[in-house]
Amino acid sequence: AAATPGDAVRRARSLAASTSAPRARVPPARRGEEKRTRVRGSGGHAFDRLVRDQNHAFDAPAYDEAEAALDAFWLARGVREEAYRARLVAQGAPRDDAPDGDASHDFSSLYRDPERLSRALLRLQTLFPESNVAEMCWKEPGVLRVSPRDVAASLVTLRFALPGSDVVKIVTGQPRLLLGENAARAGAAAAALRRAFPKIDVSAVADVEPSLLTPECDVPGRLERLERLRSKGKLSPSVAVFTEGGAGARNATLFAKVFLEETRSGAESHETQGGWG
């Protein structure tokens, strides 16, 4: 029988397959080699390469000689993050609108004088011998303006307000509590939380979430929002757990998370929209 065009095409394909070069055999990777090329969850080689590629990708602050000396001063005291050091260096910028003798003028002159800074840090270190006081400074530069006597008074106030708490750890994380009347306000906030949530260990809550006692958190305002919701029967079941003593009511970490979430500043909009369950 005469060959059809289709037969000719099939024979051509078969011939090409039989005369083509054989594929190279790729041996399976050994067990050790497979581990070396795997990208681990902690970063692995790919992460290390990314870090190397990004090195010097961002320009460092343009410092003059005095500012560079201050940057080195803070680096030597354990402030490794460049952004944090930049904040501290900026505290020493002269304030043209501040007259001599003004508190802000004295503050900026302190932060641009390494010798005065060393003495001020040493005084603070005597009160917090186990803490990184330089870290406290970038969190709240004003902490160096507080006299040792006032720092000690604030610590006493907080110890009375938060029996059982690690007060030193709390103020190391939130040094703003040492400024002005903030320690007294924190004590008042703790007392208000105890009245609103008698089943909660407020000292334990302060240990896990010290920011809750800062003025910025505004515990009194948050409690007022909760009371409005309670009066309208719209209190979140998540909050009710801690007032009624349900399962998990003694979990300080959970309470801090729920309290901060359920009383955030947008609570009124949820209330008017019929939110909160």
Side-chain angles (χ1 to χ4, degrees), residues 6-176:
D7 293 335
V9 171
R10 282 191 290 273
R11 281 197 299 272
R13 288 177 178 172
S14 177
L15 180 62
S18 63
T19 58
S20 61
R23 293 182 180 179
R25 180 176 178 274
V26 180
R30 295 179 181 177
R31 193 177 189 87
E33 294 174 343
E34 182 181 2
K35 287 184 178 180
R36 284 196 297 272
T37 57
R38 183 180 301 155
V39 177
R40 297 184 295 275
S42 60
H45 301 294
F47 180 78
D48 294 338
R49 184 169 59 253
L50 176 63
V51 172
R52 288 195 301 271
D53 292 344
Q54 293 297 320
N55 191 27
H56 305 304
F58 303 100
D59 294 334
Y63 288 147
D64 59 25
E65 184 177 351
E67 291 169 333
L70 286 170
D71 182 72
F73 173 90
W74 290 112
L75 179 61
R77 281 153 181 79
V79 185
R80 296 185 178 86
E81 292 291 337
E82 187 174 79
Y84 300 157
R85 296 199 308 275
R87 183 186 185 196
L88 289 165
V89 171
Q91 301 302 315
R95 289 165 171 78
D96 297 332
D97 57 342
D100 292 343
D102 183 79
S104 60
H105 177 84
D106 183 66
F107 181 69
S108 62
S109 64
L110 165 64
Y111 266 89
R112 62 175 176 267
D113 186 335
E115 290 188 8
R116 289 181 62 194
L117 278 173
S118 294
R119 292 194 296 269
L121 288 171
L122 183 60
R123 286 195 298 270
L124 191 60
Q125 192 74 68
T126 59
L127 294 168
F128 301 96
E130 304 298 325
S131 302
N132 183 343
V133 293
E135 180 179 329
M136 295 174 67
C137 289
W138 70 252
K139 289 179 178 178
E140 177 46 66
V143 73
L144 287 186
R145 301 175 66 176
V146 185
S147 71
R149 180 177 180 177
D150 289 341
V151 170
S154 292
L155 290 175
V156 171
T157 297
L158 290 170
R159 285 195 173 102
F160 274 108
L162 302 167
S165 285
D166 187 343
V167 170
V168 169
K169 182 179 179 181
I170 288 174
V171 298
T172 298
Q174 295 292 335
R176 182 164 294 190

Side-chain angles (χ1 to χ4, degrees), residues 15 199 203 272:
L15 180 62
K199 300 181 183 298
S203 293
T272 56

